Amino acid sequence: MDDLIRINDLRVEFSLLGGTIEAVKGVSLRIRPGSTVALVGESGSGKSVIAQSIMGILPKVGRITAGEILFADPDRDGEVIDIVSLAPDSQDMRDIRGGSISIIFQEPMTSLSQFHTVGDQIGEALHLHRDIGPREGRELVEKMLELVGFPDPAAAIDTYAFELSGGLRQRAMIAMALVCRPALLIADEPTTALDVSIQATILKLIKELQVELGMAVLMITHDLGVVANVADEVVVLYHGQVMESGSVEDIFGNPGHKYLQALIKAVPHFDMKTGERLTPVHEIDYESGPLMSAKEPWPSGLDEDATLLSVSGLTKHYTTRKQSWFGSGEATKITAVDGVNFDIKRGECLGLVGESGCGKSSVSKLIMRAISPNEGSVTFNDRGNMVDLFSVEDEEMMQLRRKIQMIFQDPVGSLNPRMTVFDIIREPLVIHEIGSAREQADMVRELVRLVGLDPRFLNRYPHSFSGGQRQRIGLARALALKPDLLICDEPVSALDVSIQAQVLNLFKDLQKDLNLTYLFISHNLAVVDYIADRIAVMCRGRIVEIAPREILFRNPVHHYTRRLMAAVPYPDLKRKLDFSTFDKSGSDEPESWPKPFAIGPDLPSAMFDLGDEHYVLAAEGTSPRELAS
Amino acid sequence: KDLVEIPSLVTEVESGELPPIGKRVPQEPSIVDLDAMGKVPGNYGGELRILMGKQKDTRMMSVYGYARLIAIDDKLQFSPDILKSFEVKEGREFTFHLRKGHRWSDGHPFTSEDFRYFWEDIATNLKMSPRGLPTALLVEKKPPSFEVIDTTTVRYTWHKPNRQFIPWIAGPRPLQLYRPAHYHKRFHIDHGDKQEIEGLIKTERKRDWVDLHSTRDRWYRMDNIKQPTLQPWMNTTKPPAVRFVFLRNPFYHRIDTKGHQLPYIDRVLMSLGETKVIPAKSGSGDTDLQGRYLRLDHYTFLKDGEARYDYSVKLWKRAQGAHMALYPNLNAADLQWRELLRDARFRRALSLAINRHEINQVVYYGLASEGNNTVLPISPLYRPKLQKAWAEFDLKQANELLDAIGLTKRNDKGLRLMRNGAPMIIPVDTAGESTEQVDVLELIHDSWLKVGIKLFTRPSQREVFRRRIVAGQTIMSVWSGISNGIPTASMNPEELAPSNKYQLQWPQWGLWSQTSGKMGEAPALPEVRRLGELHSDWLQAASTEDQEKIWKEMLDIHADQIFSIGIVNSTLQPILVNNRLRNVPTNGFYNWSPGAYFGVYKPDTFWYANR
Amino acid sequence: MISYIIQRCLIMIPTLLAISMIVFFIIELPPGDYLESYVAELQAQGENIDPDHIEFLRENYGFGDPPVQRYLSWVGGMLQGDFGYSFEYKLPVSEVVGDRLFLTILVSMATILFTWLIAFPIGIYSATHQYSWGDYGLTFIGLLGLATPNFLLALILLYFANVVFGTSIGGLMDAEFIGKPWSLAKAQSVLEHLWIPVVVIGTSGTAGMIRRLRANLLDELQKQYVTTAKAKGLSPFKALVKYPLRAAMNFFISDIGNLLPSIISGAELVAVVMSLPTTGPILISALQSQDMYLAGSFLMFLATLTVVGVLISDLLLAWLDPRIRLQGANAK
Amino acid sequence: MSAASRKGAKLEHFVSSEPFNPQMVDHAVSPEQEKYYLASQWQLMWWKFTRHRLAVVSGAFLLVTYFSILISEFLAPYALQTRNVDFIFSPPQSVHVIHEGSFVGPFVYGTNYKLNMDNLQRVYTEDKSKIYRLRYFCSGDEYDFWGIGTSNKHLVCVEKGGTLFLLGTDRLGRDILSRVIYGARISLTIGLIGITLSFSLALLIGGLAGYYGGLVDLITQRVIEVIQSFPQIPLWMALSAVLPVTWSPLWIYFAITVILAMLDWTGLARAVRSKLLSLREEEYCLAAQLMGARPKRIIGRHLLPGFMSHLIASATLSIPTIILGETALSFLGLGLRPPITSWGVLLNEAQNISVIALYPWLIFPVVPVVFVIIAFNFLGDGLRDAADPYK
Ligand SMILES: Nc1ncnc2c1ncn2[C@@H]1O[C@H](COP(=O)(O)OP(=O)(O)OP(=O)(O)O)[C@@H](O)[C@H]1O
Ligand SMILES: Nc1ncnc2c1ncn2[C@@H]1O[C@H](COP(=O)(O)OP(=O)(O)OP(=O)(O)O)[C@@H](O)[C@H]1O
Ligand SMILES: [Mg+2]
Ligand SMILES: [Mg+2]
């Protein structure tokens, strides 16, 4: 067999209480040694299930009913093994798993144990499959961590997962998968939590390893830009079936199937004009549903475009106390948010982009009062009544929560695993005692439909959904209260482009019709560009540039913004990224940025107005002209 | 007579640690005539294993040992024991003669000085005995005069007869008139070295020298191993312990007719264990002589082990006036009940309505005797009518009596109604220690129902039980009967008269006479008052005949008035005896006072036969 | 961490003080006093007693003093190492205790160890082989142990050991070592006797442990990080031991503080039946006879033991659980 | 690309012939599925529960047992207090069907009794000459049925003159089987009140401490520590000593159960607390907070269910403690006492070396105890599964 993996007519079923679901319906594909196969397709189309089948880690309820997964194990001189026929817990299977094939899970946040250090968990795979001493193991792990871009790998070895930001956790996962240098790497959405520059670094790393080790990669992703940049071959999946497969050139150059064509059409891009709509695979009608009915009106006579949310001087320090048994250890202070100012007008969408770990989620949590700030204030315009969010009483806050909702970055963690989807989505309505049980049920059904989920799923628990489906549950829940302000922390990262388009359109429509206001956080610059009216770029806890969308990405001024733009992968084979320009840490140190933009503890800086609401952070005393150039 | 050295002591004698037998035994030893007792002389050696429940059960060794100035023999007669002899004049002058050459267990001579020490330095020392003399030493609150005649003679003289004196001296927990003065003087402020005493008080954290002195004086519990004793075995284990070793007292005063110093048995091993497990342990051969903590219902089980462990179980008789008796509380706080209970007809009716025969059959295998709470046939004071009066099962008569009182109204369940209209339900308090009481009460419940009275069992804890009775909160209680069921006329009939607050049928009246009228209430019933008078009379009676007359009258009053409702008596007590152990009687009575349990049968004469 | 330890230790002081008050209150609570129960007991044995003597003792023992005064003198005494006087033994409490406390700890620790040694493998087996015959069978046996009252079991053992093997069981060492100072032979004898009470006391705890462990493991087994571990090629058993068991351990460690008193409580009755020279029988009889200082000081010993146990469990927890140790997740 | 050769033949461009229908519904829905999709959560749980066979059996067993305490009088062959003084410590009688080779239907033989005076043992032998047939729905001891009226109907009894002691008799000649049947009444009811109470306390207090943490937690922890520091026995003894003696034993027992419950919550509360301390850090808890949920809801709906397995296991495990705790109490003279009958009381009466050696049938009440405990545990398993989203 020439192929590393050949899947023939794979069928996977899940038996659930109400009957069985066939998640994979006769999929065949191949992966050649050293090549990259991209698996794309609608959210919930069975991509992760295929990955699980290859690894032999299907959940208990899942079963391979037909087909074979042939694996030519290079560790055994290419002996061909049918993974389907191996018992999942057998020694043979375990040798393959983790050793010859490893996986990067879709949800890095929950995939790491809280009790063991990162180094321990990464090293474990190493010790299992390679005969290696503890010392050597540590060195290898350290090297691996450095490769995936950990700033201080030696220290990182002894940290715990909960001490890391989402991006770092994902990188730890990647390190874990790569440390054994497998023949096949299954990467299930490996870069969703990463900003574009780090994403590029990681992709570059994978590429390099691929060349070095002859490693094959099964890349599962929604980001057609990534596909275009890394894949050799592409398999397009829809509802558990292969719709189209072929080399990248064929797929992008000559999409054959209607679905694929629709998919490519649904991708947002920077060339879109203001007001241009994405074309999702199928449009959703929302106007008739209960979501549109009776929302507390904005008092007449009030400025329709008043500032809804005003954030000023927001600062948040985290102190992580590295405790040792004796002595209290030095407390490290992380300034996650550093004097952030911005306003959002009513009905406006402010996009927030920036490096992973720069404090975006922290800002959103501060606004939600999930964490308390060290400094600064947030004023919310509650129908003409300006309230300082940090000083309101609990009871009043509870009322305000109806008006400010948030979509969490981590779709798994934010859904209670022991509640059915129905209960989860209904919960805000129950808490605020809105409507009768019947109305609530109708509302839930409507919401589910709006985000493109099947209402029949309502009785299932979150864990039985695909990543994208889960994210949509979170979306539906956030919309249930018809808030004034919606803070979206990576709301579409796990969605395929067609659903993404559908959801983004929904956001736009709601913004228009309900005057909904958004703070929209994303790593996907094209998405932000599409949805936002203004965009703020954040780095190291500060906003470095803020401008209306028409200006920002077309005329980026700040060094960091430009760097970001350079790292965006385009779904276009002609605009491939030049990986050689990315160094391994993803972003260089702000202190060493070119002159006026360098920021650091002893480099005072200030925002400069460039006109047209375009502001840039630069060293004090810089002349605006200098910036404009 | 030729004294024979004891084999186990030979080495010690030879090494000079102990004087030879001739120097150890008093010049006038107490010679135990085994033949007369139907016993056989025996051999030395062996150890006697016994089981006890609590730390304070070490006192049982001074009970079982039963070396007393004057002791009761198995025919219930008082005879000198530690004393060589004693004389009583007019029941008020008591002269005691000690044995010459009698020594404490540490070899120090036992003389009248030991009596003086007790009398002057303890009993009448205001620091040591702030409350004055024990009641047994007072006649009409007056103490005797005490004289030391010579080193072996002492005399106590009262102004009037003291009938309690000798019974107390011969009691299982006797009136201890002497102490090893040579040992105690060190700790007495009047005799010892003050500095040393101060020092000891400090190191032992004692309150004062009295405290220091009294913690040393443990003659009854025998848990101060330094304190010399006159008992046959002396303790060698310092408490706390779960196993006490008692060694023979090499200076013991009794010898057998062949010139063997008693006891025969070298050591007594007392192991402590939970009382509930003692039957089990006994049944597995862990003991050589056991009566304590065994009950009749263990008999079958114990019998089961006989073959395996080479012991046999004998059945002795218990000597309580009743094994179980109901006590109507004549001092009940509830007026209506009190009035009813004070009506003799009511009490008689209740007694008549008990089917004692059935109880005997069900609970006691028919082996007990049914009847009142009174003296047993072994007692010279026994007459059959005492046992039988109002004690036949006669529902008809019981009903008639109840009707006669006027308790004629009944409710639809057939229960008689009290005057206030409440159905007649008698709560009977039980300390509920054994299921036996509850079982018997259930059986009584049934037969009482037939005369329209319902019995309701109310278990409570012992102290609570006592407390409630004294406070008059109970209507009726159940407990064992008269503790001395085999009295002779010269034994104190105090149990029959109001005498202390622990009496369940009239605690307040008992308290009244105990405190000479300072507390409690004066007896309201003429019959009870009469009992009180008779008791006083007995204390002053000139002769045994007078005493006997008084006893009889008191017993008659009880039989007629049914102040307590006896159920059965003469119940059996299993006694487990190692088959090699000799001189343990097959039939005996097992009683605290008189009897001191095994004491009256002289365990020092028990011995092991070789196999 | 040091500051945490110090802080935890300081907290123990008011706790112990509160405990001492409750202890005192509790032993004062039952009506009556030592002498009343003394009289009652003597009478139950058929012995009568001079009421005058009792009055004398009452004054002598200071039963007339107001409770507050007695409390203060008791606590004051304890601080100076004087634990009061046992009426029943007529000895200072510290002498009565002797090496019973040590033996109690020994028996308890051995029991805990026994329970864990049995429960952990079975619990793991049950969780991984959920609904297999093994699971059902072991559960059944465990529950059987739970459902049989300890002392009934002790009694049955007592009887059968005797009938079948002809041995008399009970006690914690051979008779010849009783009251002797510690030696190698004595220690050996103790070890030989230890297993019976340990088994008897342990049976009831094991089932609980098994079931709880199983339940906790079943919960943890669903977690994503277990899948991660499996994806690394870890064998199911190792994956279980390293991850979910580790998480389930938290529960057991936080339970150590509770374990000690519950084992000591559970052991009390068994100790009584089996005549173990531990604190149980003395404590119970001291309580029953209202020997207040003995009971009180015993309770204080045990309470202190527990408080220390809780301390240890807290420290262990902090040591084992990085989230608590680093307080990282708690920074809000 | 240089790698092209290594990568072998180029993948053919495959385009599926499946039509693309954006509105496509994934799978057809069978009526059965339809039912499932429309079901309420309780229904779902019930369906899941029924899949656990043993749990269903256990549940049914418990239901039957609980139902039986309603009609104990009818089920028991004899009344609770009926004594047969001629049949003291009679061993269990066996039911026969065939007499001397011929079929007679269920019957028992008569018994001969002899008291062995040697060791005072009551010896019973079967008297094969007498045959007593079993009767159903027959008349026997009269009883008062819940105050509604009296009756004398029993499920089974035996022809006149015979006795039916299927589990033997005790020291007063009372039928053990009947006592066991009656004993269930108390054993299965009062204790459960205690469990409920201690559970509620544990959830409430542990929940609050775990949710709020900080000072609340610190104080609760210390209180728990103080309570836990006591061996239970002295507490029982002290507390039961202060209960009014005039209360009926049943009330006293009830009060003790309540007291026990008040002291018993600590262990679970600690477990709840420490689990909640970590669960509250979960994002979904934060999500609920941000939706405006109040602590009560967060604890009740989000945090505690995450702890369900442990809770159920603890609950089912405390049942034996409650049923048997009573025997420990009785050992100290504090629990229920005869004439009140419960399984604990029956076992307590069996705690005697003679019983084990001579009348082992008196230990029989252990059997229902074991069955009930096991049933509760398996029921708990079933409930756990029903609430388990991963099943
Ligand atoms: N444990 C499970 N139990 C039941 N159904 C499941 C389970 N896991 C996945 N499914 C179902 O299988 C289908 C395919 O899921 P899968 O996770 O493979 O989707 P995916 O293609 O990876 O989607 P996404 O891009 O959103 O992650 C979905 O409809 C999902 O609901
Ligand atoms: N609870 C916490 N304790 C300590 N440090 C924290 C905590 N939460 C976040 N941080 C740190 O604060 C910084 C900002 O984190 P935040 O989650 O806001 O980043 P982000 O911009 O949302 O990143 P990402 O895109 O990866 O989600 C990071 O360096 C992170 O490590
Ligand atoms: Mg997926
Ligand atoms: Mg974030």
Side-chain angles (χ1 to χ4, degrees), chain A residues 258-310:
Chain A
K258 277 246 175 54
Y259 172 64
L260 180 59
Q261 292 165 359
L263 212 56
I264 292 178
K265 256 214 299 238
V267 181
H269 50 90
F270 291 104
D271 310 329
M272 289 172 80
K273 284 187 269 319
T274 315
E276 186 186 335
R277 268 178 89 82
L278 287 170
T279 30
V281 174
H282 36 97
E283 279 280 4
I284 286 172
D285 151 55
Y286 69 97
E287 304 215 335
S288 55
L291 188 62
M292 296 311 295
S293 61
K295 192 187 157 192
E296 199 183 329
W298 196 256
S300 56
L302 219 78
D303 182 4
E304 284 280 329
D305 291 333
T307 303
L308 187 73
L309 186 82
S310 168

Side-chain angles (χ1 to χ4, degrees), chain C residues 141-152:
Chain C
I141 294 175
L143 292 177
L144 205 63
L146 186 66
T148 331
N150 270 350
F151 33 102
L152 195 64

Side-chain angles (χ1 to χ4, degrees), chain B residues 423-435:
Chain B
M424 184 163 272
I425 300 174
I426 305 187
V428 177
D429 278 53
T430 147
E433 263 133 38
S434 68
T435 46

Side-chain angles (χ1 to χ4, degrees), chain B residues 514-527:
Chain B
Q514 176 192 340
T515 57
S516 319
K518 280 204 211 79
M519 290 198 269
E521 301 162 17
L525 292 180
E527 295 83 2

